Amino acid sequence: MEDLKFKPQLLTFKAWVWASATISSRTLHIPWDSAGCLCPVGDLFNYDAPGKEPSDIEDLGNLLSNTSIHDGSLSNEDNTTIADVEQLDSEYQRLTDGGFEEDANAYCFYARANYKKGDQVLLCYGTYTNLELLEHYGFILQENPNDKVFIPLEPAVYSSTSWSRESLYIHYNGKPSFALLAALRLWATPQIKRRSVAHLVYSGSKISADNEIFVMKWLSNTCHGVLKNLPTSIEDDTLLLSSMDNSQDFCTFVEVTKLLSFRDEVDTFLEAHNMKDKCSDSNVVLSGKTRKTMDKWKLAIQWRINYKKVLHDCISYCSLILDSLIK
């Protein structure tokens, strides 16, 4: 930056954060520069999520139903099949409503709806999870068909399959992805038998009732473990969010949260903004910075609730499958 003769105010960390956020949230993809480009008007459209990815169990099951994939010594043809499906999935992840078109020498946008005068025009930037939307754009979707939750897996799960780690996740509706379910089914099979059942696994079929029961119990217990190790529960977060939404002013919020069993988060916020002893004055006015921080805090709580809801839904999904198998 010094070689470019930037002014001193542009050499500060604050200036770097602004520049980094601008590139992350405002630039549009172009094929000749990884940083992207700034496009007047083009960065004004709000986000509209695409439909659900084609990577759920039923869709990928159809894609792979006629393949024969073996564990341990995958043939080039079999590896190509998995690569083709993962490429298909990644292409959907890049799906957008705009792009630079060389023939037109312009960045072109396309509407997916017939907009009338006064309507808000929405564009899809691509496939994003809520965490990615929060990190790059500062918002989340209450219903995001492309949200994903990753859970800790045994190292042997990764080595038992050729699926990429990015494909081993839980969908927004609590169902395990095709790849995660396939990997767990194969991992739960004794290694000596994996080759003989791999064609069932990669076509989306159950290996056996015992195998499915083991997988569902393991998945449910893992989700329980993740939830148990989090500092707050979904009930805690819901109460905290409700206190924020329903309190008439900040001091009322502080008083209401005194009744909650978890106070550490609220106390940390108060201390960070030197407000620990200020709420004795009912006329306390929050600074702009404090209000912005509280808005970010609220978004974080909303994301946590959605994250935990997916894990709870996965537990419910596993319970339904177990009930159907154990009779």
Side-chain angles (χ1 to χ4, degrees):
M1 289 190 292
E2 289 175 348
D3 290 341
L4 291 171
K5 295 181 171 34
F6 279 12
K7 295 180 180 179
Q9 60 266 36
L10 298 179
L11 298 176
T12 64
F13 178 67
K14 183 178 180 180
W16 181 90
V17 169
W18 174 87
S20 176
T22 299
I23 292 174
S24 174
S25 66
R26 293 295 171 186
T27 56
L28 306 178
H29 173 75
I30 47 177
W32 64 86
D33 194 322
S34 60
C37 69
L38 291 172
C39 179
V41 181
D43 65 351
L44 298 179
F45 303 108
N46 280 330
Y47 179 73
D48 185 24
K52 66 178 181 179
E53 294 182 40
S55 54
D56 66 6
I57 296 171
E58 294 77 16
D59 294 334
L60 283 185
N62 291 333
L63 286 170
L64 291 173
S65 59
N66 296 319
T67 65
S68 176
I69 301 176
H70 308 290
D71 174 61
S73 58
L74 293 170
S75 67
N76 289 334
E77 181 181 354
D78 296 329
N79 274 321
T80 301
T81 303
I82 293 181
D84 287 344
V85 175
E86 291 183 344
Q87 181 180 356
L88 176 66
D89 188 51
S90 66
E91 287 173 355
Y92 270 79
Q93 292 181 17
R94 294 195 301 269
L95 181 65
T96 63
D97 293 338
F100 183 82
E101 297 187 5
E102 293 185 6
D103 293 342
N105 193 30
Y107 213 98
C108 301
F109 296 94
Y110 298 92
R112 284 184 290 161
N114 293 320
Y115 290 102
K116 298 178 181 178
K117 185 176 181 179
D119 291 345
Q120 180 181 186
V121 177
L122 300 173
L123 291 180
C124 173
Y125 314 154
T127 302
Y128 290 97
T129 66
N130 267 344
L131 187 59
E132 290 168 334
L133 288 175
L134 185 58
E135 178 184 1
H136 294 291
Y137 302 109
F139 69 91
I140 64 171
L141 300 176
Q142 289 305 315
E143 293 292 332
N144 185 353
N146 302 293
D147 210 6
K148 303 173 184 176
V149 167
F150 294 89
I151 57 174
L153 301 174
E154 301 288 343
V157 174
Y158 299 114
S159 60
S160 67
T161 180
S162 295
W163 293 105
S164 66
R165 295 192 177 207
E166 291 75 18
S167 63
L168 307 178
Y169 59 85
I170 300 171
H171 284 287
Y172 75 102
N173 58 8
K175 293 183 178 181
S177 68
F178 178 90
L180 176 58
L181 193 55
L184 290 175
R185 285 170 173 166
L186 205 56
W187 166 69
T189 302
Q191 192 163 3
I192 195 172
K193 296 182 179 179
R194 289 177 185 172
R195 178 183 290 273
S196 63
V197 301
H199 66 286
L200 293 172
V201 171
Y202 285 100
S203 65
S205 302
K206 298 181 181 69
I207 295 175
S208 67
D210 288 343
N211 178 276
E212 200 71 3
I213 289 170
F214 177 87
V215 167
M216 291 299 138
K217 285 184 175 180
W218 184 92
L219 190 55
S220 178
N221 290 337
T222 300
C223 290
H224 270 297
V226 172
L227 288 167
K228 185 178 179 180
N229 288 328
L230 295 173
T232 59
S233 67
I234 192 170
E235 293 79 14
D236 294 337
D237 292 337
T238 302
L239 282 172
L240 185 56
L241 188 61
S242 177
S243 300
M244 286 182 169
D245 289 336
N246 297 324
S247 298
Q248 294 180 346
D249 53 58
F250 184 74
C251 289
T252 303
F253 163 71
V254 173
E255 288 300 315
V256 170
T257 55
K258 287 180 179 178
L259 303 176
L260 303 178
S261 58
F262 53 98
R263 275 282 304 181
D264 292 347
E265 196 170 349
V266 178
D267 290 338
T268 300
F269 179 86
L270 295 174
E271 290 174 1
H273 294 276
N274 298 316
M275 300 188 66
K276 192 82 172 175
D277 303 316
K278 289 184 179 180
C279 277
S280 56
D281 180 7
S282 59
N283 296 320
V284 63
V285 178
L286 299 181
S287 67
K289 181 180 179 181
T290 302
R291 286 197 299 271
K292 287 182 180 179
T293 305
M294 197 164 183
D295 288 339
K296 294 176 183 177
W297 182 18
K298 185 175 179 179
L299 280 171
I301 298 168
Q302 290 172 333
W303 179 85
R304 278 158 30 189
I305 291 174
N306 289 344
Y307 171 83
K308 292 166 186 173
K309 185 178 182 298
V310 173
L311 293 173
H312 279 287
D313 288 346
C314 185
I315 293 170
S316 298
Y317 169 81
C318 293
S319 297
L320 286 174
I321 300 298
L322 288 171
D323 289 343
S324 68
L325 293 171
I326 305 174
K327 288 185 177 179

